[in-house]
Amino acid sequence: MIILTYMNTYRIKVVISLKDDVKDVRALTIDKMLKNADIEQNANFKTGRFYSFCVSSKDNQSAREKAGRICLEVLSNPVVEKFEICSLELVQ
Amino acid sequence: MIILTYMNTYRIKVVISLKDDVKDVRALTIDKMLKNADIEQNANFKTGRFYSFCVSSKDNQSAREKAGRICLEVLSNPVVEKFEICSLELVQ
Amino acid sequence: MKAAVVVFLGTNCEVETKAALEKYSFECDYVNSNTKALLGYDCVFLCGGFSYGDYIRSGRLAKFTPVVGALEEYIEKQRGVTVGICNGFQILCEAHLLKGALLENDSSRFICKNVELKLDFKNVSKKISLPIAHREGKYVFSASDYKEVFAMSFLKYVDNPNGSYLDIAGLYDKNRRVMGLMPHPERAMFAKNFGFDGEEIFKIVKEEIKRG
Amino acid sequence: MDKFIENEIEKRLKRKMNELERHIFSAMWSEHCGYLHSKLQLKKLNSKGALFPAENSGGVKIGNTGVFFKVESHNHPCAVEPYQGAATGIGGIIRDILALNARPIALLNSLKFCEEQKHLIDGVTRGISDYGNSCGIANVGGEVIFDECYRDLPLVNVMAVGIAPLDKVKLSSAKENLEIVLLGSPTGIDGVGGAAFASKELKKDTKEEKIHVQIGDPFTKKKLIEATLEILNVEGAAACQDCGAAGILSSTSEMAYKGGCSIELDLDRVHLALKNMSAAQILLSETQERMVFAVEKRALDKVFEIAHKFELDISNIGKTFCGGGSRDYVIKKDGKILSKTPLDVICEPYCHDLEPVFGQVTHTDEIRENVDVKSALFKIVASPEFASKEWFYEQWDYAVGARTYMQPGFSGAAAVKIDEGFIGLCMDSKPRFVKLNPYSGAKSTFLESYRNLVSSGFEPMGFTNCLNFASPQNEETKYDFVRSIDGLRDISKAFCVPAVSGNVSFYNEKENRRIYPTVTIGMLGCCKKEENLIGALFKKDERVFLLGKKITLESNTGGSLYHSVLFDRLCSKPDEIDIQLELKLKDAILDMADKKIISGALDVSKGGILGALVSALLKSNTGFCGSLLPDKNLEDYQKLKLLFGETEGRYIVSCSDLVKTEAYLLKNNIPHSLLGKCVGDKIEFDGYSFNLDELRKEYKNSIKNALEQY
Ligand SMILES: Nc1ncnc2c1ncn2[C@@H]1O[C@H](COP(=O)(O)OP(=O)(O)O)[C@@H](O)[C@H]1O
Ligand SMILES: [Mg+2]
């Protein structure tokens, strides 16, 4: 017996960044540089990693869950990082 | 004589990633790992760097320009990278 | 005593780790990332390098390989001692086999140099000097783990080079069967300029294996 | 393509080129691949005693081991994209070593920047760090030079060293009836046209140059290294060639041309990163992390198996065959033959002869301005060219592999362990000296490396070189180039140290600004015993001797660092070279190291006697008391010359047994003078006194301060 489930492909965009209580040293360096170069006094930078990727799933809801799992288990380290799904779109 | 211009603060979020014709070697490795670990067959990853920062400017338009300049001159290398301003918001 | 040195794609300190173990009279095998059979070894070494390019973050992609699954079993059964050096330490943290995580150094640059350390392990307490070579070696942990981590750290920087919380350079798990450290003891066993203090670490490993 | 070249090609082909062939020739007849302006000159170099000087990399023989080393420039890519430029430069030079079935064990680099261009410096440093460290090859040494002439024209010369048992060495010539296999990253459009790009001046706006940038993948490179070394030990793996400039085209054509057979490639079989690539794009792509092999049919399965084990892509893209009378390069795609061209036309481009050249060397006067010694010393110690380079080398893993026995900052050369003992490695250049006088400047550069090795306990064995020049169309550049080569040839013959390999980079100019002619030397020496390795370190209570030339007010000190640091001038005549003296000093130092007479040594170079002394004392953390000046009643400018002037043929050594040392020096007729003793925590001589800690602060931090302060 063959069960056919129609799978859609979704493209997901996520940002992974340090939790608020972890010092973002890279950001502090950029802040300082912009200040010294007189470009911006209080840039208040935050840095993160951006990923865009596809998952195949039967619907939007389950795609979001799968993406969440990938973020948690593959892309981030929950000890120090948090993630945010910025967008999720059906790919035609 | 003192000229007072009222300056607003805007928070900008940008993503910097490799141009489309530049090979994203990290992404290719991640794709392969996800496939091998049977998590996702065609993840088709793209990687990038995320920044969020503030600029002080008199209006939305000039804030966008300033942010663009910071992206171009400080945060990215325009030879291989492109940037995208994802959001721009007035900070109260 | 038998030691396994795990070689992932991208690992690059396997040769000196094996040589150091052999100098300390271990019998040594390289095992690759597909190995599932670790139970025959008295200790397992995860050594330095850039497993899978350290793409995503250091040590992250290695955790999806079969050998890390086998390692979980090895640790679960408390078969022997597991040691993670540098990238190996990062892998152990990413796989949650040790507490905490390793972030980019405060300088955001790679640091290669010899550093002074304070070694405190059971009745041993002394200053030693070992080489470090890493870009993501800043050891951090969640506030809730403070007590535990504090108790389990055995190696601390005298002059913190990378921003590690509590100057921690190495720690073990609650059973003292898993050890992770950023400095490279295997590099301090051969040449005068790098010293010979690496032996201190191998000595501890040997004693812990004997303890059973 | 210029008309003259086009005619030349078509005359030799005896027909018109088609479009694909235009691409083929514009790459293969570029300066970068074809050495158009340098080939005839390079023939003059002395390679007697070198191992395989015509291969991807030459080397020297130590016991039963071949030690291969070569330097490569990646100047143009670094100007545009410093991070990837430096990374792929390392990637490229590693492949040249790898092609001989040699395991790469050490890297070095020679960098030149304009000090203000922090983003370039930062990018290059990180590129080397991220790429070299990930590949697991120790970055054991090198040099960094700062000068305004490198503004927008940074020089990034990288050197790799590898070892192979002599009977396992593989060459790059492919005989007939072999399968051609391409291993590694899928071919994409990155870096298409790179060879042509490296062969012209940089444009005004570097942003236009984007398409030529190649992207490095150190993880794949690490796998490629391990896979290649395994493949080349498979029975039936006959030849190997790296896939670098002009990609598949240059590697496959050279393999067949050297082997004297024809070759046919089917481009449909190449594994690609993108669909719908044109034949020219596939052939010319400079996608990184690829190697080409020629293997017997029976070895194919085994070779593919190895590739899969390392999770690398691989494809069998063609074969070599006996073409009867002709030796052709045949390209097929979509079942059609797109081009069939004689290999000699592809691989033997038209060469320009740079000679005869006219030029002359003029020397301006000496400096007679006064600066007091105290502030002069502080300025020199803090100048980025003199200051400690630890900011750079601490970002590079110099210890991975546990072969490093003397690391950067410890001595003038690095010591790397091999089965037969130790090899010594260093990289040097003296652009100011070459600019003043290319003939003697090139010789002086050679000697700089030579003395670095000797003072670390090594017998020099061979050298590699990278010739960085402006456009060979300039008369002055032509002259500089030809005379530099003459200098290298003569000095290498005189010392019986052969040129084993090298690289040429022209067109380092922009908007009529030219770099100084820059000859970079990488030299390799050998030392059998660990206890004979010498550091540039002195111990408390040791005596310090100057060996070699005394400096007098009559000496020539043109090109010295103190001229440029204190007076911002490049002037007066460089010192003469005394070959007999140099040889004598070498023998004496190596012998004294062996007999344990001396314990520390360094050559006198940047910063003269006082510079050498101070750098050793700072590292050793000891003070000094003695005398350096023959006469106290001198004008400041004279003292500067005596203390900081750079002449050839000098070393500083330290010893614990004064009597024994003096006896040895007298008996062997070595010119020497006792400078003083290591005591206390101040540097004291001739009425001057310097606090060690104050000097150290400048020495250690000045580069970090200059580069990390925004
Ligand atoms: N300045 C030089 N001195 C000695 N040999 C050189 C010099 N420049 C190039 N060569 C030699 O010419 C050959 C071709 O070099 P090159 O085309 O740079 O190789 P690749 O393309 O593999 O980098 C090599 O054997 C190289 O060592
Ligand atoms: Mg080559």
Side-chain angles (χ1 to χ4, degrees):
Chain A
M1 193 182 70
I2 300 168
I3 304 175
L4 279 177
T5 332
Y6 186 72
M7 292 294 246
N8 290 311
T9 302
Y10 296 85
R11 182 163 277 283
I12 288 113
K13 296 184 177 169
V14 299
V15 167
I16 294 177
S17 53
L18 291 171
K19 286 183 178 168
D20 294 330
D21 56 351
V22 181
K23 189 158 69 170
D24 187 343
V25 280
R26 203 173 260 225
L28 296 175
T29 311
I30 305 176
D31 282 348
K32 197 160 89 193
M33 187 180 104
L34 290 186
K35 186 168 176 178
N36 290 349
D38 215 7
I39 299 177
E40 186 59 53
Q41 296 309 307
N42 284 306
N44 206 339
F45 256 80
K46 296 194 175 20
T47 70
R49 303 197 304 279
F50 168 84
Y51 298 99
S52 142
F53 58 93
C54 297
V55 299
S56 62
S57 249
K58 58 185 195 308
D59 58 27
N60 198 301
Q61 172 63 19
S62 68
R64 183 172 291 274
E65 278 166 23
K66 192 164 178 184
R69 251 191 348 264
I70 289 180
C71 283
L72 207 61
E73 286 164 22
V74 183
L75 298 176
S76 74
N77 181 337
V79 177
V80 278
E81 291 171 328
K82 59 180 198 248
F83 68 90
E84 187 191 340
I85 295 184
C86 311
S87 77
L88 185 148
E89 270 171 30
L90 186 67
V91 181
Q92 299 311 350
Chain B
M1 188 181 71
I2 299 169
I3 302 178
L4 278 175
T5 332
Y6 186 70
M7 291 294 246
N8 291 310
T9 302
Y10 297 84
R11 182 162 277 281
I12 288 117
K13 296 187 178 170
V14 298
V15 167
I16 295 181
S17 55
L18 291 169
K19 287 184 180 168
D20 294 330
D21 55 352
V22 178
K23 196 172 355 181
D24 187 341
V25 292
R26 294 167 170 265
L28 296 174
T29 300
I30 303 173
D31 283 348
K32 212 184 246 167
M33 269 326 270
L34 288 190
K35 192 168 169 180
N36 289 350
D38 215 8
I39 298 176
E40 185 59 54
Q41 296 308 305
N42 283 304
N44 207 338
F45 257 83
K46 293 192 180 17
T47 69
R49 301 196 303 280
F50 168 85
Y51 298 99
S52 142
F53 58 94
C54 297
V55 301
S56 62
S57 245
K58 59 183 196 306
D59 58 25
N60 197 303
Q61 173 64 17
S62 69
R64 186 173 289 273
E65 277 166 23
K66 191 164 179 187
R69 255 194 343 270
I70 290 179
C71 286
L72 210 59
E73 285 162 24
V74 182
L75 300 175
S76 76
N77 179 345
V79 177
V80 280
E81 292 173 326
K82 59 178 200 257
F83 69 90
E84 188 192 340
I85 296 185
C86 311
S87 75
L88 186 149
E89 270 170 30
L90 185 68
V91 181
Q92 298 311 350
Chain C
M1 268 185 260
K2 283 191 76 180
V5 173
V6 184
V7 182
F8 297 96
L9 291 176
T11 293
N12 64 30
C13 297
E14 68 271 25
V15 177
E16 54 267 46
T17 304
K18 183 160 180 271
L21 281 162
E22 282 166 355
K23 194 172 174 195
Y24 229 77
S25 60
F26 279 89
E27 222 178 290
C28 211
D29 290 336
Y30 290 136
V31 301
N32 71 22
S33 59
N34 290 322
T35 314
K36 293 198 184 108
L38 291 176
L39 295 174
Y41 295 98
D42 299 307
C43 62
V44 178
F45 271 73
L46 305 181
C47 47
F50 293 77
S51 52
Y52 304 95
D54 275 355
Y55 295 159
I56 299 192
R57 41 181 295 135
S58 52
R60 166 103 321 206
L61 288 172
K63 82 169 191 184
F64 298 103
T65 58
V67 72
V68 173
L71 192 63
E72 280 163 0
E73 186 197 350
Y74 183 89
I75 292 168
E76 175 77 25
K77 295 198 161 139
Q78 293 206 43
R79 164 65 185 85
V81 174
T82 303
V83 183
I85 300 170
C86 199
N87 197 230
F89 185 19
Q90 293 162 339
I91 294 169
L92 290 174
C93 287
E94 289 297 315
H96 303 305
L97 296 170
L98 282 175
K99 291 271 177 214
L102 290 143
L103 293 181
E104 193 171 78
N105 300 339
D106 272 357
S107 63
S108 95
R109 294 176 189 281
F110 194 92
I111 306 175
C112 178
K113 64 176 179 189
N114 287 5
V115 297
E116 297 296 313
L117 296 151
K118 190 139 186 311
L119 173 66
D120 278 297
F121 195 89
K122 289 202 200 154
N123 45 0
V124 187
S125 175
K126 55 162 79 169
K127 278 208 178 138
I128 61 174
S129 155
L130 293 176
I132 55 167
H134 57 247
R135 207 184 80 178
E136 291 174 27
K138 172 178 175 173
Y139 179 74
V140 302
F141 51 86
S142 326
S144 55
D145 289 335
Y146 178 86
K147 266 210 172 113
E148 225 173 316
V149 167
F150 187 78
M152 297 187 307
S153 64
F154 70 94
L155 195 61
K156 291 189 172 185
Y157 301 106
V158 171
D159 185 10
N160 194 339
N162 53 22
S164 292
Y165 289 6
L166 301 177
D167 302 326
I168 289 173
L171 83 162
Y172 46 80
D173 72 337
K174 56 181 190 300
N175 300 313
R176 284 219 209 103
R177 301 259 90 188
V178 183
M179 296 168 70
L181 68 164
M182 283 319 289
H184 286 271
E186 81 284 9
R187 292 188 187 184
M189 305 237 346
F190 305 98
K192 198 174 72 200
N193 285 355
F194 294 87
F196 300 92
D197 288 352
E199 300 189 355
E200 298 291 339
I201 304 295
F202 288 92
K203 201 153 76 192
I204 288 176
V205 173
K206 211 164 189 176
E207 274 161 20
E208 287 306 297
I209 293 172
K210 283 204 193 119
R211 186 170 66 93
Chain D
M1 190 181 291
D2 91 42
K3 202 73 205 161
F4 171 79
I5 293 292
E6 184 170 340
N7 286 336
E8 185 66 30
I9 294 168
E10 292 184 341
K11 197 167 81 201
R12 284 171 62 187
L13 286 178
K14 304 194 188 68
R15 62 178 170 83
K16 293 257 172 242
M17 285 180 277
N18 65 31
E19 200 202 306
L20 175 60
E21 287 158 357
R22 278 186 172 275
H23 286 288
I24 291 180
F25 283 102
S26 70
M28 293 300 288
W29 285 41
S30 71
E31 191 68 51
H32 190 70
C33 290
Y35 283 79
L36 312 186
H37 286 87
S38 55
K39 204 175 205 164
L40 297 172
Q41 289 297 325
L42 291 175
K43 288 204 172 114
K44 298 198 294 198
L45 289 174
N46 161 47
S47 52
K48 200 166 157 238
L51 216 51
F52 309 122
E55 279 296 322
N56 282 303
S57 166
V60 296
K61 178 175 168 315
I62 299 180
N64 287 321
T65 300
V67 185
F68 298 94
F69 58 108
K70 185 181 177 194
V71 54
E72 174 127 303
S73 62
H74 239 215
N75 307 336
H76 284 62
C78 290
V80 180
E81 217 300 290
Y83 179 85
Q84 293 295 348
T88 54
I90 292 190
I93 192 61
I94 290 174
R95 288 193 300 274
D96 272 332
I97 302 296
L98 195 55
L100 288 124
N101 196 19
R103 174 173 285 281
I105 57 167
L107 293 168
L108 293 93
N109 58 64
S110 162
L111 311 177
K112 280 101 188 172
F113 299 112
C114 163
E115 191 190 333
E116 284 162 31
Q117 294 188 304
K118 293 178 194 166
H119 70 288
L120 280 178
I121 301 174
D122 191 65
V124 167
T125 314
R126 285 178 190 276
I128 295 174
S129 174
D130 285 356
Y131 197 96
N133 299 352
S134 302
C135 291
I137 304 171
N139 204 316
V140 298
E143 59 159 2
V144 192
I145 285 180
F146 299 92
D147 195 288
E148 177 62 33
C149 77
Y150 301 113
R151 183 179 290 276
D152 297 334
L153 300 164
L155 298 188
V156 176
N157 294 174
V158 291
M159 168 170 158
V161 186
I163 48 174
L166 281 177
D167 58 346
K168 292 279 197 302
V169 172
K170 287 279 154 66
L171 302 183
S172 61
S173 51
K175 297 278 177 267
E176 60 219 36
N177 299 324
L178 295 173
E179 301 294 319
I180 301 297
V181 172
L182 176 68
L183 171 73
S185 293
T187 299
I189 54 168
D190 34 336
V192 173
F197 164 60
S199 306
K200 56 182 205 241
E201 290 167 36
L202 284 174
K203 291 205 187 109
K204 252 200 195 130
D205 184 359
T206 46
K207 283 170 200 154
E208 294 168 37
E209 311 276 14
K210 61 183 178 210
I211 45 167
H212 309 301
V213 175
Q214 309 139 7
I215 305 297
D217 180 357
F219 171 53
T220 301
K221 175 49 83 19
K222 171 70 177 154
K223 297 190 288 180
L224 190 69
I225 293 171
E226 301 305 329
T228 299
L229 294 174
E230 223 172 294
I231 286 172
L232 286 176
N233 288 316
V234 170
E235 193 107 0
C240 178
Q241 169 76 35
D242 66 290
C243 205
I248 297 176
L249 167 63
S250 80
S251 50
T252 54
S253 60
E254 279 165 21
M255 280 175 105
Y257 180 60
K258 283 189 186 161
C261 56
S262 292
I263 186 168
E264 180 186 282
L265 299 183
D266 183 352
L267 300 186
D268 295 330
R269 279 153 59 183
V270 176
H271 55 285
L272 300 176
L274 299 166
K275 288 188 203 107
N276 301 326
M277 284 176 68
S278 72
Q281 285 173 328
I282 297 172
L283 274 178
L284 268 69
S285 161
E286 294 183 5
T287 292
Q288 295 291 295
E289 334 306 357
R290 298 178 298 167
M291 295 293 279
V292 179
F293 301 87
V295 306
E296 290 169 25
K297 218 177 184 127
R298 65 182 167 120
L300 274 181
D301 285 347
K302 185 77 197 141
V303 169
F304 272 62
E305 197 182 297
I306 294 171
H308 294 142
K309 182 172 96 186
F310 286 100
E311 299 183 2
L312 288 170
D313 295 321
I314 185 165
S315 47
N316 177 357
I317 62 171
K319 59 176 188 298
T320 58
F321 59 98
C322 173
S326 65
R327 288 158 188 177
D328 291 318
Y329 192 63
V330 185
I331 297 298
K332 270 171 56 180
K333 191 171 186 288
D334 303 326
K336 287 194 291 271
I337 292 185
L338 299 186
S339 161
K340 181 172 175 195
T341 330
L343 276 165
D344 60 342
V345 187
I346 296 183
C347 297
E348 289 290 349
Y350 176 86
C351 284
H352 303 266
D353 197 349
L354 293 184
E355 287 193 283
V357 291
F358 305 97
Q360 63 185 43
V361 175
T362 46
H363 295 299
T364 48
D365 289 343
E366 290 216 353
I367 291 175
R368 286 178 191 279
E369 287 146 56
N370 288 320
V371 169
D372 80 275
V373 171
K374 188 139 201 167
S375 67
L377 180 61
F378 273 95
K379 273 196 189 132
I380 289 169
V381 165
S383 71
E385 201 165 325
F386 186 91
S388 162
K389 303 296 181 298
E390 69 182 37
W391 185 85
F392 288 93
Y393 62 70
E394 284 187 351
Q395 295 188 50
W396 302 323
D397 191 340
Y398 51 73
V400 60
R403 292 175 181 275
T404 310
Y405 276 60
M406 290 204 296
Q407 68 271 45
F410 188 79
S411 172
V416 175
K417 175 103 179 75
I418 61 171
D419 284 348
E420 284 80 0
F422 297 84
I423 51 174
L425 299 166
C426 62
M427 242 179 140
D428 298 283
S429 53
K430 296 178 96 173
R432 284 187 298 273
F433 288 74
V434 180
K435 170 78 180 155
L436 281 177
N437 181 335
Y439 179 73
S440 73
K443 288 169 119 180
S444 177
T445 309
F446 175 100
L447 278 169
E448 174 81 27
S449 285
Y450 190 89
R451 287 192 289 259
N452 275 325
L453 288 178
V454 170
S455 64
S456 310
F458 297 97
E459 174 80 42
M461 308 271 292
F463 79 97
T464 178
N465 67 94
C466 188
L467 306 169
N468 306 275
F469 285 77
S471 157
Q473 271 83 37
N474 310 322
E475 286 308 314
E476 200 186 327
T477 303
K478 272 187 204 171
Y479 174 80
D480 291 344
F481 186 76
V482 172
R483 290 301 286 160
S484 294
I485 292 200
D486 290 345
L488 287 182
R489 172 200 57 202
D490 290 352
I491 192 108
S492 131
K493 280 189 181 152
F495 285 83
C496 298
V497 173
V500 308
S501 61
N503 181 259
V504 178
S505 167
F506 278 128
Y507 303 101
N508 292 289
E509 66 178 70
K510 188 174 180 180
E511 296 156 40
N512 277 324
R513 281 191 306 104
R514 295 177 196 150
I515 60 160
Y516 287 166
T518 307
V519 176
T520 307
I521 299 282
M523 203 177 282
L524 180 140
C526 173
C527 171
K528 295 267 179 288
K529 294 188 260 175
E530 187 178 353
E531 60 278 18
N532 286 11
L533 299 173
I534 327 173
L537 295 181
F538 303 158
K539 294 190 198 74
K540 277 246 153 42
D541 295 327
E542 284 184 335
R543 308 288 172 146
V544 179
F545 279 95
L546 172 69
L547 308 189
K549 288 186 189 175
K550 297 210 169 80
I551 189 163
T552 69
L553 291 173
E554 286 74 52
S555 307
N556 288 310
T557 59
S560 295
L561 180 67
Y562 84 90
H563 292 174
S564 67
V565 172
L566 302 178
F567 306 105
D568 194 18
R569 270 166 60 192
L570 179 60
C571 61
S572 69
K573 198 171 167 214
D575 187 37
E576 302 280 325
I577 288 160
D578 179 346
I579 288 171
Q580 290 318 312
L581 174 69
E582 300 282 355
L583 286 170
K584 200 155 116 181
L585 288 171
K586 179 208 68 173
D587 289 339
I589 287 178
L590 295 183
D591 191 36
M592 287 192 288
D594 194 40
K595 297 199 164 91
K596 309 281 163 299
I597 296 174
I598 52 172
S599 67
L602 74 163
D603 59 312
V604 178
S605 143
K606 273 173 205 161
I609 296 188
L610 186 53
L613 190 63
V614 165
S615 74
L617 294 170
L618 288 177
K619 281 180 207 154
S620 322
N621 203 15
T622 166
F624 169 89
C625 184
S627 167
L628 307 178
L629 294 169
D631 178 355
K632 288 193 180 99
N633 299 319
L634 294 168
E635 290 225 42
D636 274 336
Y637 81 88
Q638 293 174 313
K639 288 186 184 169
L640 294 180
K641 179 168 177 176
L642 295 172
L643 294 173
F644 300 114
E646 294 164 32
T647 68
E648 309 288 335
R650 297 192 298 174
Y651 294 87
I652 288 184
V653 298
S654 75
C655 64
S656 52
D657 189 334
L658 173 67
V659 179
K660 199 165 151 194
T661 311
E662 259 181 337
Y664 182 95
L665 295 170
L666 285 171
K667 177 163 163 252
N668 292 283
N669 207 5
I670 307 293
H672 65 277
S673 45
L674 178 61
L675 298 179
K677 190 174 176 183
C678 298
V679 285
D681 54 5
K682 287 197 172 66
I683 301 179
E684 294 178 312
F685 59 92
D686 307 308
Y688 293 102
S689 173
F690 295 91
N691 183 312
L692 218 50
D693 289 335
E694 275 172 31
L695 284 172
R696 184 179 300 107
K697 217 163 69 201
E698 300 293 325
Y699 183 70
K700 260 184 87 91
N701 299 333
S702 83
I703 288 192
K704 183 175 196 282
N705 291 346
L707 297 180
E708 283 191 1
Q709 237 154 49
Y710 303 105

